[in-house]
Amino acid sequence: MRNDFLTKNYRNINFHLLPSKKYFQTTIAVRIYLDLDEKVATGAALLPYILLHGSEQFRNNLIIQSKLDKEYGAKIGVSIDKKGNKQVLCLSLKFYNQNHKIINPEILNILHDLLTKPLITKKSVEIEKKLHLRRIHNEIFNAYNYSNKKSLLYLQRKPQNLYIDQIGSIYEIEEWNETNLAALYQKILQTSSIHMYVIGDINEEDVLEQLCSYIQIETDKTDQTIIPPRPVLSNIKTYNSEKYQFKHAIITTCLSTGGITFKNKDYPALVVFNRLLGGFPHSRLFMNVRNELNAAYSIISILDAINGLLFIQTAIDPPSEEIVLRKIFDEIKSIKEGDFTKKELEATIKTLINSYKLSQDSPISLIDFHQNGIVSGQVRTMKEMIDCMDSIKPQDIQDVAQVLQGYSIYTLGER
């Protein structure tokens, strides 16, 4: 299977097409990128959900759903995402492509009308504001997300806008109404980088012609290049804690990867290092901290390769904090010194390759991976990553481990 997208810019929209007979459904995904900005983040986060309330041609959600049902049960979904220093407005359509090789024009008609002529009314805004309050509350009371955010803040000498939540703030939500949201949406369309993906059993040339004909968005942004965020470089070593009504303590350790990001040539080795450390059930942290030491309920390392960050997060009984932290840094040190076996490395690489192969079965995973490349300034394919995995040597892992710089430890819970 080919897994590199055919990309074309037309009228300042980036179209990415991937034909494949392996998918029973065709997926269309729209991704609109804007800079994370506290002043507009909450309003921007509301907009994808408001789009589903209706458009000039399809006046309410019932009409939209009725039209989609006629297209063999087509499904539409929206969400808000965050990639590096970008807030991403997401809209996706999945449908059975009965026309074969091209997209049913009615699907494109619905998509175009929702994107370009949404009905942003007082009623739809008030409904979504209430629902969005729940989304924000869920984010606020997610202790793991809160701990990650705090550890990142303490790592940066000059905080970037990376700490801004893509869903916005509870304190800003009442400022938004149908008038300023409509104005914001038009500004976003005119000034943001817009990417549209199509994956399925299609003829790419014919579908590209369809897209260029149907999807017409007035935009002033002639340069669609997204400037990659600066990686977080820090040699700070800091510890902070906060009391929290929680049965366990959550410890988040945020480390700088020393400038290695998704676009860097050492990125594949960094991925293997992360998985060897704490990304799989056979990883060092899982085996030696959770199982052997029996000192953690859960432990994992998560790589944010767009911003150059590595998060290690664990849930423990508070009295175990000191021994767990010591063991975490001991495991990092042992990898730096090459104290890992050939069997460990081979198992990690094999599992990674299998995960990339499985990801090729998911259109959304392929789109997400491609997005990482768009935002980072270096598009990669799953095949490229698989090929890189086969050539990684133990010294490569040691080398990327050496460049880990500062760290910020943040403990949430009773001490």
Side-chain angles (χ1 to χ4, degrees):
M1 168 193 164
R2 212 187 87 189
N3 73 348
D4 55 322
F5 289 88
L6 168 72
T7 294
K8 181 173 180 178
N9 180 279
Y10 182 76
R11 291 185 176 176
N12 301 327
I13 302 175
N14 295 282
F15 296 109
H16 309 284
L17 281 72
L18 182 59
S20 175
K21 294 181 179 180
K22 73 183 296 182
Y23 304 115
F24 292 109
Q25 289 183 303
T26 297
T27 299
I28 301 178
V30 181
R31 301 292 184 258
I32 303 174
Y33 298 85
L34 59 153
D35 293 333
L36 278 167
D37 183 344
E38 281 184 309
K39 295 179 182 178
V40 302
T42 307
L46 282 164
L47 286 168
Y49 301 97
I50 291 173
L51 293 183
L52 297 188
H53 282 261
S55 64
E56 188 175 287
Q57 187 176 350
F58 309 100
R59 306 296 292 184
N60 57 54
N61 186 260
L62 287 176
I63 295 175
I64 295 169
Q65 290 300 325
S66 175
K67 290 289 184 181
L68 292 174
D69 287 342
K70 291 178 181 179
E71 298 302 322
Y72 303 94
K75 302 294 182 185
I76 189 168
V78 296
S79 62
I80 193 78
D81 198 4
K82 180 177 177 178
K83 291 283 184 184
N85 58 357
K86 299 294 180 182
Q87 187 179 23
V88 190
L89 281 59
C90 308
L91 185 148
S92 300
L93 269 164
K94 287 188 175 185
F95 53 95
Y96 291 97
N97 199 10
Q98 297 299 313
N99 283 331
H100 303 294
K101 305 302 181 182
I102 64 170
I103 300 171
N104 189 328
E106 188 63 19
I107 290 283
L108 293 177
N109 186 31
I110 294 169
L111 178 62
H112 180 258
D113 213 58
L114 290 178
L115 283 174
T116 61
K117 302 172 185 177
L119 290 180
I120 302 178
T121 65
K122 183 177 181 179
K123 181 180 179 181
S124 65
V125 170
E126 289 305 313
I127 289 172
E128 284 306 328
K129 280 167 67 173
K130 290 178 182 178
L131 293 172
H132 203 63
L133 277 172
R134 297 180 194 171
R135 298 183 194 112
I136 295 174
H137 275 119
N138 289 339
E139 186 77 13
I140 290 172
F141 292 111
N142 186 317
Y144 291 94
N145 289 345
Y146 178 80
S147 181
N148 269 22
K149 181 178 175 182
K150 296 290 281 190
S151 66
L152 171 59
L153 275 171
Y154 282 114
L155 184 68
Q156 303 174 85
R157 280 200 175 93
K158 295 181 180 179
Q160 302 175 34
N161 58 1
L162 304 182
Y163 67 90
I164 300 172
D165 289 322
Q166 70 267 27
I167 60 169
S169 167
I170 197 170
Y171 303 108
E172 307 293 331
I173 199 163
E174 283 306 317
E175 295 183 10
W176 294 98
N177 55 50
E178 66 274 20
T179 302
N180 56 18
L181 278 171
L184 174 63
Y185 186 63
Q186 289 307 311
K187 183 179 179 181
I188 288 172
L189 286 185
Q190 292 166 9
T191 61
S192 298
S193 183
I194 302 173
H195 293 253
M196 183 175 295
Y197 294 85
V198 182
I199 300 178
D201 186 9
I202 58 172
N203 180 292
E204 52 193 347
E205 296 297 335
D206 290 341
V207 169
L208 185 58
E209 184 178 340
Q210 279 189 293
L211 294 173
C212 293
S213 174
Y214 274 87
I215 310 299
Q216 299 179 22
I217 300 175
E218 297 296 328
T219 172
D220 299 331
K221 190 175 177 66
T222 55
D223 183 5
Q224 292 289 311
T225 304
I226 295 176
I227 299 173
R230 298 189 312 274
V232 177
L233 298 174
S234 175
N235 56 11
I236 289 174
K237 295 180 180 179
T238 180
Y239 174 91
N240 295 275
S241 64
E242 180 179 345
K243 287 189 175 182
Y244 189 78
Q245 293 291 332
F246 199 62
K247 287 183 178 180
H248 316 308
I250 295 172
I251 305 175
T252 301
T253 303
C254 180
L255 302 97
S256 166
T257 63
I260 300 177
T261 62
F262 189 89
K263 68 177 181 180
N264 192 278
K265 65 180 179 62
D266 293 323
Y267 166 71
L270 183 64
V271 172
V272 177
F273 164 79
N274 171 58
R275 296 296 196 172
L276 177 64
L277 177 66
F280 288 133
H282 67 262
S283 66
R284 285 297 188 87
L285 296 179
F286 192 88
M287 296 297 293
N288 298 338
V289 179
R290 186 184 183 277
N291 289 358
E292 184 179 319
L293 200 63
N294 198 25
Y297 296 102
S298 64
I299 189 164
I300 191 171
S301 61
I302 303 167
L303 182 62
D304 176 358
I306 296 178
N307 296 308
L309 296 167
L310 179 69
F311 293 91
I312 299 171
Q313 195 161 66
T314 181
I316 64 166
D317 284 327
S320 302
E321 180 178 349
E322 185 177 343
I323 190 172
V324 167
L325 283 173
R326 187 184 304 118
K327 189 63 175 174
I328 286 172
F329 283 97
D330 282 348
E331 293 301 333
I332 294 173
K333 182 182 178 183
S334 70
I335 295 176
K336 285 183 177 182
E337 294 173 349
D339 184 17
F340 53 89
T341 66
K342 182 180 179 181
K343 184 178 179 181
E344 285 179 285
L345 182 57
E346 288 177 347
T348 300
I349 291 174
K350 181 179 180 181
T351 311
L352 261 172
I353 289 174
N354 287 338
S355 70
Y356 283 125
K357 288 179 178 178
L358 286 173
S359 293
Q360 291 178 324
D361 294 333
S362 166
I364 294 301
S365 293
L366 290 172
I367 291 167
D368 185 70
F369 193 74
H370 192 268
Q371 281 187 266
N372 291 341
I374 293 292
V375 175
S376 300
Q378 175 63 54
V379 173
R380 298 174 181 270
T381 68
M382 297 285 188
K383 185 179 184 305
E384 288 173 353
M385 288 299 296
I386 290 171
D387 291 342
C388 286
M389 295 294 106
D390 284 329
S391 63
I392 287 175
K393 303 294 188 291
Q395 188 61 49
D396 299 327
I397 307 304
Q398 284 185 254
D399 290 344
V400 295
Q402 302 299 328
V403 301
L404 294 177
Q405 291 184 323
Y407 60 80
S408 166
I409 300 169
Y410 189 81
T411 299
L412 188 64
E414 298 294 333
R415 295 195 65 217

